[in-house]
Amino acid sequence: MEPKSAVPLKKTGAGNAVRPQVAADSAAYVDSGKPAVISAERFSFFYGSKCGVNNVSMDIRTGSVTAIIGPSGCGKSTFLRSINRMNDLIPNTRTEGTLAVNGCDVYDKRTNLINLRQQVGMVFQKPNPFAKTIFENIVYGPRLQGVRSKRRLSEMVEKCLRDSAMWDEVKDDLHKSALALSGGQQQRLCIARTLATKPNVLLMDEPCSALDPIATARIEDLIAQLKGTYTIVIVTHNMQQAARVSDYTAFFCLGELIEYDRTDKLFTNPAKKATEDYITGRFG
Amino acid sequence: MRTQIRQSLDKMFTAFAGSVVLLIAGVLLVVLVPMFRKGLSAVFFTETVEFRKLQMDLHDRGDERTLKQELERVAAARKPIYDILLAFSRGLDMEPRVKEVKNIYQQYGEYLNYRNTPKEQYTECRKQAKEIRDTILDALESMDKQVVLANLDKALAQKGNPTFKDTPVQHFFTVAEQYRKTAQTVDLTKRSEYLAGLRDVTAAIRQLFGPLPGEDEPPLPMDQYGATRMDMARKALHTLLWDEQWIADGPGKPLVKKIIARKTQFTGTELEPLFDRVEKNFNALLLPRHRFYWQYFIDDWVNSHYFGGIGPEILGTLLLTVLSMLFAVPFGVVSAAYLVEYASDNIWIKIIRICINTLAGVPSIVYGLFGLAFFVITISAIGKPCILAASLTLSILVLPVIIRASEEAIRAVPQTYREASLALGAGKFRTLVKVILPAAGPGILTGIILSLSRAAGETAPILFTGVVAMGPIPNFGTPAEWVRNPASIFGGLFQPTRALSYGSYDIAVGDRISMLVPHQQFGMVMTLILLILVLNVTAIVIRSRLSKKLRGH
Amino acid sequence: MAKYSAQIAGKSKKAAAGFTRPLLLTPSEDMLGFLSGHLGRAALFLITATSVVAVFLIFYFVIRESAPFFFNKSFPAAMARIKEFFTDSGWYPAATEPRYGGLALIVGSLYVTLGSLILAVPLGLFAAIFLSDIAPFNLRQICKPVIEILAAIPSVAYGFFAVMVFAPWLQKSLGFSTGTNALNASVILAIMALPTIISVSEDAMSAIGRETREASYALGATRAETMVKVVIPAAHSGILAAVILGMMRAMGETMVVWMASGNAGRIPSPWWDLSQSIRTMTATIAGDMGETPKNSEHYYALFTVGLTLLLFTFSLNLVSEYLLGKVMKTSRGGK
């Protein structure tokens, strides 16, 4: 359902648009046969004069899980946070190029930030539940959208908690503080909370970096379950994790997109030396 | 060697710094301990039966029957003391005696008239009676024991005279006999000295047991009752038993205070047993009992703080502080939220910050001047010093405190909260209202409590804007009046009030009667300090819990 | 399980189909958002600007009420008034020929302020050193509330202590003719200024990072040497700000000096004799205003005293602000 007011970008097409500006060997496009939900076009992001993301062009396919890997400070988080404009919180920043979600440039002045962020949900590095009850945490988003009916809210809470596979764990503690949960539960609660706003895209910014291996495994299971329903972009510093959960992987280095390909191909047969060095652990 | 000197210097430095901190803690104790020790005695003390009588008379507190029994017991115990006092004063104080004698003579005249005595007999009888009268008067006026006794014997010789049988003249003889007794025991040359001593003794007895029987009811409540508290009773007992005199210790030397037992002053007189009697039966005379007088915090004063409590002062302080918070909190919290969440770093914000700091630095007395010039004089709707003007002045005073505390609290909310809320599609304003302010709530609350305590303690800003030392309790009307005229609820806002802070000043410096009752003075200031300490400790506890939560998070 | 994932896969076709809510604002939404955003911000800004309004009102009204003291007359008369106020030490507003010399009051204020600082600054510095560098964490957690409570006790309670406890003690043990004198007021003001001095200078010393201290220790300095030779010089502007803030607190204090200073409006002589009674600006306002008719010469004169006080503290405030700004910069640079 294309919104009426949406102004599609000229260059954003479905499928494999031709992008002559990008060098062919960057392998920035992955042929999957599915349309791109997020597409960056020579996108750059600057903190003041410092460049965070440099001239990145890539398409992210609908329904896929895309991992972004790279050494720390390579701009992978910056890129991710640009997609739902969370970088707005940082003063003194600017962008170049376009970054389109569903064909609309998110850095357009007329972007409806609220709708954008509701539909492009985000899960952060550290679990960040509000200091409220579990129930209140989840209904926060739906309430913002104007859902008032107690019954509908309860249904949503149950559905989201089931979708994030934690209903059985917390169904008796819905009205206890979310801060009493363990770290892994908190992170899954944050995912459930994000699901409650009915997003199309889930951005995950190193969601497991603060968790223990068991909690990590559960999050990864969850990602596998959510795959297909949501387009998931996950930033991770853990290459095994990227290999386990993602369909596609992008490798960022020093703000630039080095390589972007199917996960199995990128990890077994990288096209670039830099990628190979990174995944074999020779640097970073 | 040099290293050793340096090390010992370092140790001295450390020890000195530590002892400075100890000194400061000691100062805190030195300030607080006397206040609490003496102040608590306004609430916890040993009451006497007089206190129970006072409470029954003024507030209908206590059991009427037991009180009546107690009063009877006490009256029985006091009677011998009053008798001694009366007898002694009869023997000593000549003026009433002279009056009495003259009175008897007059009565005799009337008696004779009443009997229709024949003229000659009348003249004869009067003449004889006059002779007796004059002898007795001579005896009363004389200081010489021999003359006195001779005169009295001369008068008493007439006792058997049948003319005077069953006439008022018999009273002459009772007086004469009484006085002979006094004259035999008392050194008459010391009469004036005794008289002065007797005045002190009577005053002390009055202080202990209230007005003497037969005296008129004094106008001031403080004179209507005896010692209501045992500590005051002991003080009165001390003045009863001991006489303080300033005696020159030789020519040119400064006066020295000497304490002399009154008993020795009155040795051999009729009064002597009184002292032992009072001292030994002290408890039976006053029936002391321990008391927790919690009504101190709700009662109004009686006789400008001589009795009673500080209820209206507490009420006034609460009214002033709560009202000032009502004005200051919305402005303070909104300002803080704006400064943290919205303001960019431009010249206007810099000006605002400088102004907030300036506000924090303006001396409190200047706030008082400003409140007088602006709220009281310029705003005609207020027009006079009143609660509204005072609390508005206070609200400006605490505004910077609230802004700073709230700013800190809002800044302390983790950035992740903002991110989470924004990522869920909330707008900036909603994030502020629904996430940031609730999360900053305990911190803001701490700031509000601290500024509450600041407002409660301030005196100078309300000095000219709405506080009085004595005055009626602000009248906020009754429910019946509210129905008739809803605006009458606010009537109290336009009246001045009493307050703990100014009351503490006034009771310490301005008020003469309260000098007599230190427990009232210390009680008032203790209540103020207690109020502020409770508020501060609450704030400290909330903050430490908060920091634990943040650290644990 | 297999069935479940098949379901999800089936759902995905539908769910991933499109965005249900428009990503771009309609022009009217855009306009509304623009307006509400800006109006909201403007409203918040106006509320925040209350403090500015308050400062302006305070200055305006204090100046307005004090202006007739000078400017109701010819220019030379006004100059004579100003000269009298700042050079004459006779404050006799109730005399038949009233005199409004404020010198004794200004000197009185400065006198007790300096007296209190002489006591409070060394003590406060040592306490700050103890709290920032010597005390272990737990002890600091105990000391901080003590200092906060010291700061929280209202001035009238300190004044009460000064009159009812301290003054009789001074009179008895030191043999002064009166217990309410400059020494009493200075000591109590020092107690009141201590918390400010301690907390601000402790912040300043903590802002000098660990690195600086470690550098000094590594060169073999003892703690005392490190503090005296490195940390205190580095934190000097913060410490100065602490002293100035303490000074403001002492100078602006009313109740303590009113109750404890004896209220004798003369310049102490000899100057070092602290046992004399003095009178400060704040106490004069507090004591006189109650029985002064509005819009009388005396009333204007009291507002002039208030204006003098306000200007004193305002300029001190600006200086402390400048100094604290410097501290902020160094602490930020250090990090």
Side-chain angles (χ1 to χ4, degrees), chain A residues 1 3 5-7 37 62 101-102 110-112 115-116 118-119 197 200 225 227-229, chain C residues 1 4 8-9 11-13 15-27 29-30:
Chain A
M1 198 174 96
S5 59
V7 181
V37 64
T62 308
V101 171
N102 198 29
R110 292 167 302 161
T111 303
N112 187 334
N115 284 354
L116 172 74
Q118 275 174 2
Q119 294 172 97
T197 63
N200 295 54
Q225 280 179 33
K227 181 156 111 179
T229 320
Chain C
M1 194 64 216
Y4 186 63
I8 285 182
K11 253 196 276 173
S12 78
K13 293 265 152 40
F19 284 66
T20 47
R21 292 181 291 271
L23 287 182
L24 288 185
L25 295 162
T26 60
E29 272 176 346
D30 198 10

Coordinates of all heavy atoms in Angstrom, one line a residue, chain A residues 1 3 5-7 37 62 101-102 110-112 115-116 118-119 197 200 225 227-229, chain C residues 1 4 8-9 11-13 15-27 29-30:
Chain A
M1 N 0.8 -1.2 0.0 CA 0.0 0.0 0.0 C 0.9 1.2 0.0 O 1.5 1.6 1.0 CB -0.9 0.0 1.3 CG -2.1 0.9 1.1 SD -3.2 0.7 2.5 CE -2.6 2.0 3.6
P3 N 1.6 5.0 0.2 CA 0.9 6.2 0.6 C 0.8 7.2 -0.5 O 1.7 7.4 -1.4 CB 1.8 6.8 1.7 CG 3.1 6.2 1.5 CD 2.9 4.8 0.9
S5 N 0.8 10.5 -0.4 CA 1.7 11.7 -0.4 C 3.2 11.3 -0.6 O 4.0 12.2 -0.8 CB 1.6 12.3 1.0 OG 2.0 11.3 2.0
A6 N 3.4 10.0 -0.6 CA 4.8 9.6 -0.7 C 5.4 10.0 -2.1 O 4.7 9.9 -3.1 CB 5.0 8.1 -0.6
V7 N 6.5 10.6 -2.0 CA 7.2 11.0 -3.3 C 8.3 10.0 -3.5 O 9.3 10.0 -2.9 CB 7.7 12.4 -3.2 CG1 8.4 12.8 -4.6 CG2 6.6 13.3 -2.9
V37 N 13.6 -2.7 0.7 CA 12.7 -1.8 1.6 C 13.5 -0.6 2.1 O 13.0 0.4 2.2 CB 12.2 -2.7 2.8 CG1 13.3 -3.2 3.6 CG2 11.2 -1.9 3.6
T62 N 13.3 -6.8 1.4 CA 12.2 -7.0 2.2 C 12.2 -8.4 2.8 O 12.5 -9.4 2.0 CB 10.9 -6.9 1.4 OG1 11.0 -5.6 0.8 CG2 9.7 -6.9 2.3
V101 N 13.5 4.7 2.9 CA 12.7 3.6 3.4 C 11.4 3.5 2.7 O 10.7 4.5 2.6 CB 12.5 3.8 4.9 CG1 11.5 2.8 5.4 CG2 13.8 3.8 5.7
N102 N 11.2 2.4 2.1 CA 10.0 2.2 1.3 C 9.8 3.3 0.3 O 8.7 3.8 0.0 CB 8.7 2.2 2.2 CG 7.6 1.6 1.5 OD1 7.7 0.7 0.7 ND2 6.4 2.0 1.9
R110 N 10.0 16.7 5.1 CA 8.6 16.4 5.3 C 8.4 15.0 5.9 O 7.3 14.6 6.1 CB 7.8 16.5 4.1 CG 7.7 17.9 3.6 CD 7.2 17.9 2.2 NE 8.0 17.1 1.3 CZ 7.7 16.6 0.1 NH1 6.4 16.8 -0.3 NH2 8.5 15.9 -0.6
T111 N 9.5 14.4 6.3 CA 9.3 13.0 6.8 C 8.5 13.0 8.1 O 8.7 13.8 9.0 CB 10.7 12.4 7.1 OG1 11.4 12.4 5.9 CG2 10.6 11.0 7.6
N112 N 7.5 12.1 8.2 CA 6.8 12.0 9.4 C 7.6 11.1 10.3 O 7.5 9.8 10.2 CB 5.4 11.3 9.1 CG 4.5 11.3 10.3 OD1 5.0 11.3 11.4 ND2 3.2 11.3 10.0
N115 N 5.7 8.3 12.3 CA 5.3 7.1 11.6 C 6.6 6.3 11.1 O 6.6 5.1 11.2 CB 4.6 7.5 10.3 CG 3.1 7.8 10.7 OD1 2.7 7.7 11.8 ND2 2.4 8.3 9.7
L116 N 7.6 7.0 10.8 CA 8.9 6.3 10.4 C 9.4 5.4 11.5 O 9.7 4.3 11.3 CB 9.9 7.4 10.0 CG 11.3 6.8 9.8 CD1 11.3 6.0 8.4 CD2 12.4 7.8 9.8
Q118 N 7.8 4.4 14.1 CA 6.9 3.3 14.5 C 7.1 2.1 13.6 O 7.0 1.0 14.0 CB 5.5 3.8 14.5 CG 5.1 4.4 15.8 CD 3.7 5.0 15.7 OE1 3.0 4.9 14.7 NE2 3.4 5.7 16.8
Q119 N 7.3 2.4 12.3 CA 7.4 1.3 11.3 C 8.8 0.8 11.1 O 9.0 -0.3 10.5 CB 6.7 1.8 10.0 CG 5.3 2.0 10.2 CD 4.6 2.7 9.1 OE1 4.0 2.0 8.3 NE2 4.7 4.0 8.9
T197 N 4.5 -1.9 18.2 CA 4.2 -0.7 17.4 C 3.9 -1.2 15.9 O 3.7 -0.4 15.1 CB 5.3 0.3 17.4 OG1 6.4 -0.3 16.8 CG2 5.6 0.8 18.8
N200 N 7.5 -2.6 10.2 CA 7.9 -3.5 9.1 C 9.3 -3.9 9.2 O 9.7 -5.0 8.7 CB 7.6 -2.8 7.8 CG 6.2 -2.4 7.6 OD1 5.6 -1.8 8.5 ND2 5.6 -2.9 6.5
Q225 N 12.9 -16.7 14.3 CA 11.4 -16.8 14.2 C 10.8 -15.6 13.5 O 9.8 -15.7 12.8 CB 10.8 -16.9 15.6 CG 10.9 -18.3 16.2 CD 10.4 -18.4 17.6 OE1 9.4 -17.7 17.9 NE2 11.0 -19.2 18.4
K227 N 12.1 -13.7 11.3 CA 12.6 -13.6 10.0 C 11.4 -13.8 9.0 O 10.6 -14.7 9.2 CB 13.7 -14.6 9.7 CG 14.3 -14.5 8.4 CD 15.7 -15.1 8.5 CE 15.8 -16.5 7.8 NZ 17.1 -17.1 7.9
G228 N 11.3 -13.0 8.0 CA 10.2 -13.2 7.1 C 9.1 -12.3 7.4 O 8.6 -11.6 6.5
T229 N 8.7 -12.2 8.7 CA 7.6 -11.3 9.1 C 8.1 -9.9 9.0 O 7.4 -9.0 8.7 CB 7.1 -11.6 10.5 OG1 7.1 -13.0 10.6 CG2 5.8 -11.0 10.8
Chain C
M1 N 6.8 -27.5 15.0 CA 7.8 -26.4 14.8 C 7.9 -26.1 13.3 O 7.9 -24.9 13.0 CB 9.2 -26.9 15.3 CG 10.2 -25.8 15.5 SD 9.6 -24.6 16.8 CE 10.2 -23.1 16.1
Y4 N 5.0 -24.2 12.4 CA 5.0 -22.9 12.9 C 5.8 -21.9 12.0 O 5.3 -20.9 11.6 CB 5.5 -22.8 14.3 CG 5.4 -21.5 14.9 CD1 4.1 -21.0 15.2 CD2 6.5 -20.8 15.3 CE1 4.0 -19.7 15.8 CE2 6.4 -19.6 16.0 CZ 5.1 -19.0 16.2 OH 5.0 -17.8 16.8
I8 N 4.8 -18.6 9.7 CA 5.4 -17.3 9.7 C 5.8 -16.9 8.3 O 5.6 -15.8 7.9 CB 6.7 -17.4 10.6 CG1 6.2 -17.3 12.1 CG2 7.6 -16.2 10.3 CD1 7.4 -17.3 13.0
A9 N 6.3 -17.9 7.6 CA 6.7 -17.6 6.2 C 5.5 -17.2 5.4 O 5.5 -16.3 4.6 CB 7.3 -18.9 5.6
K11 N 2.8 -15.8 6.6 CA 2.4 -14.5 7.1 C 3.3 -13.4 6.4 O 2.9 -12.3 6.1 CB 2.5 -14.4 8.6 CG 1.2 -14.3 9.3 CD 1.4 -13.9 10.7 CE 1.8 -15.0 11.6 NZ 2.1 -14.5 13.0
S12 N 4.5 -13.8 6.3 CA 5.5 -12.8 5.8 C 5.1 -12.1 4.5 O 5.3 -11.0 4.3 CB 6.9 -13.4 5.7 OG 7.0 -14.1 4.5
K13 N 4.5 -12.9 3.7 CA 4.1 -12.4 2.4 C 3.2 -11.2 2.6 O 3.3 -10.2 1.9 CB 3.4 -13.5 1.6 CG 4.4 -14.7 1.2 CD 4.9 -14.5 -0.2 CE 6.3 -15.1 -0.4 NZ 6.5 -16.4 0.2
A15 N 2.6 -9.5 5.6 CA 3.1 -8.5 6.5 C 4.1 -7.6 5.9 O 4.1 -6.4 6.1 CB 3.7 -9.1 7.8
A16 N 5.0 -8.2 5.2 CA 6.1 -7.4 4.6 C 5.6 -6.6 3.3 O 6.4 -6.0 2.7 CB 7.3 -8.3 4.3
A17 N 4.4 -6.8 3.1 CA 3.9 -6.2 1.8 C 4.1 -4.7 1.7 O 4.4 -4.2 0.7 CB 2.4 -6.6 1.6
G18 N 3.8 -4.0 2.8 CA 3.9 -2.5 2.6 C 3.8 -1.8 3.9 O 3.5 -2.4 5.0
F19 N 4.1 -0.6 3.9 CA 4.0 0.3 5.1 C 2.5 0.8 5.2 O 2.0 1.3 4.2 CB 4.9 1.4 5.0 CG 6.3 1.0 5.2 CD1 7.0 0.1 4.4 CD2 7.0 1.4 6.4 CE1 8.3 -0.3 4.6 CE2 8.3 1.0 6.6 CZ 9.0 0.2 5.8
T20 N 1.9 0.6 6.3 CA 0.5 0.9 6.5 C 0.3 2.4 6.7 O -0.7 3.0 6.5 CB -0.1 0.1 7.6 OG1 0.7 0.2 8.7 CG2 -0.4 -1.3 7.2
R21 N 1.4 3.1 7.3 CA 1.2 4.5 7.6 C 2.2 5.3 6.8 O 3.3 4.9 6.6 CB 1.5 4.7 9.1 CG 0.4 4.1 10.0 CD 0.6 4.3 11.4 NE 1.8 3.6 11.9 CZ 1.7 2.4 12.4 NH1 0.6 1.7 12.5 NH2 2.8 1.8 12.8
P22 N 1.7 6.4 6.3 CA 2.5 7.2 5.4 C 3.8 7.7 6.1 O 3.8 8.1 7.2 CB 1.6 8.4 5.0 CG 0.6 8.5 6.1 CD 0.4 7.1 6.6
L23 N 4.9 7.6 5.3 CA 6.2 8.1 5.8 C 6.4 9.6 5.7 O 7.3 10.1 6.3 CB 7.3 7.3 5.2 CG 7.4 5.9 5.6 CD1 8.6 5.2 4.9 CD2 7.6 5.8 7.1
L24 N 5.6 10.2 4.8 CA 5.7 11.6 4.6 C 4.5 12.3 5.2 O 3.4 11.8 5.2 CB 5.9 11.9 3.1 CG 7.2 11.5 2.5 CD1 7.3 12.0 1.1 CD2 8.4 12.0 3.3
L25 N 4.8 13.5 5.6 CA 3.7 14.3 6.2 C 2.9 14.9 5.1 O 3.4 15.3 4.0 CB 4.2 15.4 7.1 CG 5.0 15.0 8.3 CD1 5.8 16.1 8.8 CD2 4.0 14.5 9.4
T26 N 1.6 15.0 5.3 CA 0.8 15.8 4.3 C 1.1 17.3 4.6 O 1.5 17.6 5.7 CB -0.7 15.6 4.5 OG1 -1.0 16.0 5.8 CG2 -1.1 14.1 4.3
P27 N 0.9 18.2 3.7 CA 1.2 19.6 3.9 C 0.5 20.2 5.1 O 1.1 20.9 5.9 CB 0.7 20.3 2.7 CG 0.7 19.2 1.6 CD 0.5 17.9 2.3
E29 N -0.5 18.4 7.8 CA 0.2 17.9 9.0 C 1.5 18.6 9.2 O 1.8 18.9 10.4 CB 0.5 16.4 8.7 CG -0.6 15.4 9.1 CD -0.3 14.0 8.8 OE1 0.7 13.8 8.0 OE2 -1.0 13.1 9.2
D30 N 2.2 18.8 8.1 CA 3.5 19.5 8.2 C 3.3 20.9 8.9 O 4.0 21.2 9.8 CB 4.0 19.7 6.8 CG 5.5 19.9 6.8 OD1 6.1 19.8 7.9 OD2 6.1 20.3 5.8

